[in-house]
Amino acid sequence: MGGICFLGLGYINRFLPWETPLVFQMLIGMFMITVLEFITGIAVNVCLGWGVWDYSKEPANLLGQICLSASVGWYFLSSVGIVLDDYLRCWIFGEDQPRYRLF
């Protein structure tokens, strides 16, 4: 799931213009990662019974697979994935130099 999330974060700037504020890109990344975490959690924790993670004791959780505090963490961590992907594409593939607006 981590690789898929990183690819998804990388596609944000392929669909949105560079002028899109970074905080909005991070919000999109947070929602994307949270949805993927929920789908993966239902598959591996509920259906397969692997018990990889359990947020059931956390406040504001949904079926113990996602919770608000993890989503906030994904919000901030998504900035790393977005910027890293943009710079890797610039350095490796010669794409446009990344430029960001915070707000």
Side-chain angles (χ1 to χ4, degrees), residues 45-98:
N45 294 328
V46 176
C47 295
L48 297 175
W50 291 356
V52 179
W53 66 85
D54 182 6
Y55 293 129
S56 60
K57 293 185 175 142
E58 296 289 325
N61 76 80
L62 180 61
L63 302 175
Q65 304 310 305
I66 57 174
C67 68
L68 183 59
S69 61
S71 291
V72 170
W74 295 133
Y75 175 78
F76 292 105
L77 192 58
S78 68
S79 66
V80 175
I82 291 167
V83 171
L84 180 61
D85 178 83
D86 291 340
Y87 276 98
L88 285 173
R89 288 181 182 279
C90 176
W91 293 330
I92 295 171
F93 302 114
E95 293 185 8
D96 291 340
Q97 177 75 26

Side-chain angles (χ1 to χ4, degrees), residues 28-40:
I28 293 170
M30 177 196 73
F31 281 116
M32 179 196 63
I33 294 169
T34 301
V35 166
L36 288 171
E37 181 181 32
F38 182 74
I39 292 168
T40 303

